[in-house]
Amino acid sequence: MRHRVSALCTFALVLAGLAPVGLRAQAVLGIGDDALVLPVGALRLRVLPTWTRFDSRYGKNTPNRAPGSLEPLAVDFNRDTIGIVEFERLLPLRDGLRLLAGLPDFDVSLGRTIVRLDASVLAYPIVAELGLTKRFSVGVIVPIVRTRTEARLNVNPLGREGNLGFNPALADTNIRNANNALYTQYATAVTALQALITSCANTTSTDPRCPTVRARSGTLTALAAGAAQFSGGLQSLYGASPFIPLTGTDVDAAIRARVAGFSSQFATLATLNIPAFPSGSPVAAQSLIGVNDAQRILGDPAFGVGVDPLQTIERTGIGDIEVGAKFQFLNTLEGEGKNQLDPPSGLNFRSAVTGLVRIGSGHADTPDNFIDIGTGNGQNDIEIRSQSDVIFGKRLWASVVGRYGIQLGDRQTMRITDADQPLAFAYRRFLVDRDLGDFFELELTPRFVISDYFAVSGSYLYRNKQEDRYSGTFQTRNTLDQDITLNAATLNAETEQTEHRVIAGITYSTLAAFQKGRARVPLEIFVQHAESVNGSGGSTPRIRQNQVQLRVYTRIFGGDAAK
């Protein structure tokens, strides 16, 4: 990417050298937007490499955190336990294990997850602006964007957080065969007892064991029924479930104790020639879920999620292109004897309005990756701006800029999440109607001109984006094969954003020097740093941003722009 910036800067400088032009403007402009309109035929080319980074956000509705407080960007993925709330397919396993272990309050857990996200956006907006009249100019911005999300996933770091692991019988034939042999022995013992009870229920039976069986009919019938239910449940879960209890956990110990209990009870039936109920249990999970296991759960369609792994990801492409026009309706510096490069003492004013269309040429984030950042919103916008400058003599001037953006509706494929459901399963993937919230920005930028070459600037930016609106109702079946209804309006939650940002910068300019014949090329270089200082909404990132901006000027038609 650095090579591209170098090439663009070189190209711009070449153009400027081919047709230099004087410009009527403030001696040194400075960072931020302003009310200046380019002279007739003047072309201004800009490149603005901008580095933006964020790893935290201003939260909302996060347990144990005050609204608006800073929280990790990945807070939704940091879970003390992954249970049925996060992974609904564990519900039948939990209910089955409660019965098998005789633990009615038992809860399943794949363990704890710790995710750290560090996001960055490297943008190279390429800007061309052309003055058509002394009050009217047009411009276009084509951004090249690279987004990067660095992800670090840790699962069960202490090695004792969960009580489930992968079922080894599904991957190891020897273990599967050993388990099947146990199931057969369980069934043989239970079937023999059931057959004897049935036979002895016939009063004409001459089997010498029947008097004993009839005397213990209630106990033996209950034993046969309990052993049949238990052994059938073991075979159903341990034979097919991808997750089973981890060896050494309380639930594993409870199941082994029940196996031993049935084995002891059947041992008392040896005189009745009932086969032994084995004391062995199916092989338990041998290890907790690890990082690779978690990535497999996310990506393997068999588990129902079907998304990309939680790992570092980059996207590069064209962002949302902007096309706009600017009209200056007030400029007291146009009067006789008033030079914008060397303004007189006292107050002067400039005001303009700008309208632009933002084309959704960027790619929105994909529904099949939980952490990627798109190169744009991917939908069309209309934006109106008001720019006003107050000029206090030769050294001090300030701009007040207001922006209102109308974000137009479109349709996007999204995963419809519930309020407390970070894992949006594949069955939640639908094409929904989307209308991103309109936004308002207010920017105040004072500037101090040190000399014909340098100026320092500061800026305060307030930004508010209204809540997004998603719509669409869909009938589907979840991973438990249950009919459910999904409403895309749940995606509206925590999409309103408010941010307060401060910006500081320094400018080097040759505009005044060029006009006075002391510089060969009219150009400006801006260096600025911006940081969020406050915010709210839940999805508002706390950003740190650096920008280096190069502006170069040339003439493509018209007369002497200095006059």
Side-chain angles (χ1 to χ4, degrees):
M1 285 296 187
R2 291 179 181 175
H3 297 296
R4 295 185 182 182
V5 172
S6 299
L8 290 170
C9 292
T10 302
F11 175 69
L13 288 170
V14 168
L15 286 180
L18 289 175
V21 59
L23 294 179
R24 299 166 59 207
Q26 202 73 24
V28 183
L29 292 180
I31 67 172
D33 201 358
D34 56 49
L36 177 71
V37 172
L38 294 175
V40 177
L43 175 67
R44 179 166 67 184
L45 301 175
R46 290 191 280 162
V47 287
L48 299 80
T50 306
W51 298 264
T52 305
R53 179 177 174 267
F54 51 96
D55 59 9
S56 59
R57 69 186 192 186
Y58 297 99
K60 181 181 180 182
N61 298 327
T62 303
N64 303 317
R65 295 180 186 270
S69 61
L70 282 175
E71 60 189 24
L73 193 62
V75 67
D76 292 336
F77 298 101
N78 291 320
R79 296 280 165 157
D80 290 334
T81 182
I82 302 295
I84 61 172
V85 172
E86 295 78 15
F87 206 73
E88 61 192 25
R89 294 189 66 179
L90 295 176
L91 180 60
L93 176 62
R94 185 203 66 177
D95 293 345
L97 289 174
R98 285 180 172 182
L99 290 174
L100 286 177
L103 300 173
D105 297 326
F106 167 73
D107 273 320
V108 292
S109 174
L110 293 174
R112 179 187 179 199
T113 58
I114 300 175
V115 180
R116 292 183 174 86
L117 298 178
D118 191 338
S120 61
V121 179
L122 178 56
Y124 292 88
I126 304 168
V127 187
E129 300 162 282
L130 177 64
L132 297 181
T133 73
K134 68 177 183 178
R135 291 184 178 271
F136 185 75
S137 64
V138 294
V140 61
I141 301 176
V142 180
I144 301 171
V145 181
R146 189 196 75 178
T147 67
R148 176 182 173 89
T149 307
E150 296 184 12
R152 294 176 292 281
L153 170 64
N154 198 354
V155 182
N156 298 319
L158 300 179
R160 58 175 183 269
E161 291 89 338
N163 53 31
L164 298 180
F166 276 124
N167 187 347
L170 300 185
D172 190 316
T173 302
N174 293 330
I175 293 176
R176 184 164 60 250
N177 290 339
N179 284 353
N180 288 337
L182 278 177
Y183 305 144
T184 299
Q185 293 177 64
Y186 297 153
T188 299
V190 171
T191 300
L193 178 57
Q194 290 173 330
L196 180 59
I197 293 171
T198 300
S199 175
C200 291
N202 185 350
T203 56
T204 62
S205 174
T206 59
D207 191 321
R209 298 173 294 175
C210 285
T212 302
V213 172
R214 293 183 185 121
R216 302 172 57 188
S217 176
T219 301
L220 294 179
T221 299
L223 174 61
Q229 182 186 49
F230 178 76
S231 59
L234 276 182
Q235 183 172 1
S236 175
L237 291 183
Y238 282 75
S241 173
F243 308 109
I244 57 173
L246 186 69
T247 183
T249 57
D250 291 344
V251 65
D252 178 57
I255 289 173
R256 291 181 183 278
R258 291 202 69 192
V259 171
F262 282 116
S263 179
S264 296
Q265 293 181 75
F266 271 81
T268 66
L269 306 179
T271 58
L272 299 178
N273 295 325
I274 299 299
F277 192 98
S279 59
S281 302
V283 177
Q286 300 302 298
S287 60
L288 279 169
I289 299 297
V291 173
N292 291 336
D293 300 324
Q295 301 286 27
R296 173 188 165 194
I297 292 169
L298 290 174
D300 189 339
F303 293 100
V305 185
V307 296
D308 296 335
L310 286 178
Q311 61 187 21
T312 298
I313 182 169
E314 291 186 1
R315 305 275 191 223
T316 301
I318 299 295
D320 295 334
I321 296 172
E322 296 181 5
V323 179
K326 187 175 188 178
F327 175 71
Q328 186 185 79
F329 60 88
L330 173 67
N331 189 349
T332 64
L333 289 173
E334 287 184 329
E336 184 177 352
K338 293 184 178 181
N339 190 328
Q340 295 187 76
L341 285 173
D342 188 18
S345 300
L347 287 178
N348 282 280
F349 303 93
R350 273 194 305 246
S351 291
V353 292
T354 299
L356 64 85
V357 174
R358 187 174 294 107
I359 303 168
S361 51
H363 294 286
D365 51 354
T366 171
D368 297 325
N369 191 299
F370 290 153
I371 62 172
D372 75 317
I373 302 172
T375 62
N377 286 331
Q379 99 293 329
N380 299 329
D381 301 343
I382 298 173
E383 185 175 327
I384 303 297
R385 298 177 182 174
S386 170
Q387 300 110 328
S388 294
D389 300 336
V390 182
I391 303 165
F392 305 89
K394 302 177 184 299
R395 298 297 181 191
L396 183 63
W397 66 296
S399 298
V400 179
V401 178
R403 305 179 184 91
Y404 189 85
I406 302 171
Q407 305 207 73
L408 305 180
D410 68 345
R411 307 192 79 192
Q412 289 284 334
T413 299
M414 309 282 291
R415 293 192 180 221
I416 302 174
T417 58
D418 288 335
D420 192 34
Q421 176 56 273
L423 293 181
F425 284 77
Y427 70 82
R428 294 175 170 271
R429 193 178 190 276
F430 286 97
L431 184 65
V432 305
D433 293 311
R434 180 183 73 160
D435 187 359
L436 299 180
D438 296 347
F439 63 87
F440 169 74
E441 294 180 351
L442 180 63
E443 185 177 82
L444 174 62
T445 307
R447 308 174 182 90
F448 180 72
V449 179
I450 300 173
S451 68
D452 281 352
Y453 291 94
F454 290 97
V456 292
S457 309
S459 184
Y460 163 77
L461 172 69
Y462 168 81
R463 184 176 192 272
N464 174 261
K465 184 184 77 67
Q466 300 172 12
E467 183 180 74
D468 299 340
R469 295 183 296 275
Y470 295 89
S471 59
T473 303
F474 308 93
Q475 304 295 323
T476 187
R477 298 182 72 82
N478 65 12
T479 57
L480 303 178
D481 205 29
Q482 300 167 330
D483 291 322
I484 63 170
T485 300
L486 299 177
N487 189 337
T490 59
L491 295 171
N492 299 350
E494 299 185 16
T495 56
E496 182 179 0
Q497 296 179 338
T498 298
E499 182 196 4
H500 301 264
R501 188 184 305 180
V502 293
I503 308 165
I506 186 169
T507 306
Y508 170 77
S509 172
T510 65
L511 296 186
F514 177 80
Q515 179 110 11
K516 297 172 183 178
R518 297 201 302 263
R520 297 183 59 187
V521 177
L523 61 82
E524 298 165 304
I525 299 174
F526 305 79
V527 179
Q528 70 181 56
H529 176 76
E531 287 202 15
S532 304
V533 294
N534 201 353
S536 62
S539 61
T540 306
R542 179 186 182 276
I543 72 158
R544 294 175 295 280
Q545 184 182 82
N546 294 300
Q547 183 184 94
V548 178
Q549 180 178 168
L550 171 66
R551 292 177 176 178
V552 292
Y553 297 81
T554 188
R555 164 77 64 187
I556 59 175
F557 63 85
D560 184 357
K563 296 180 181 180

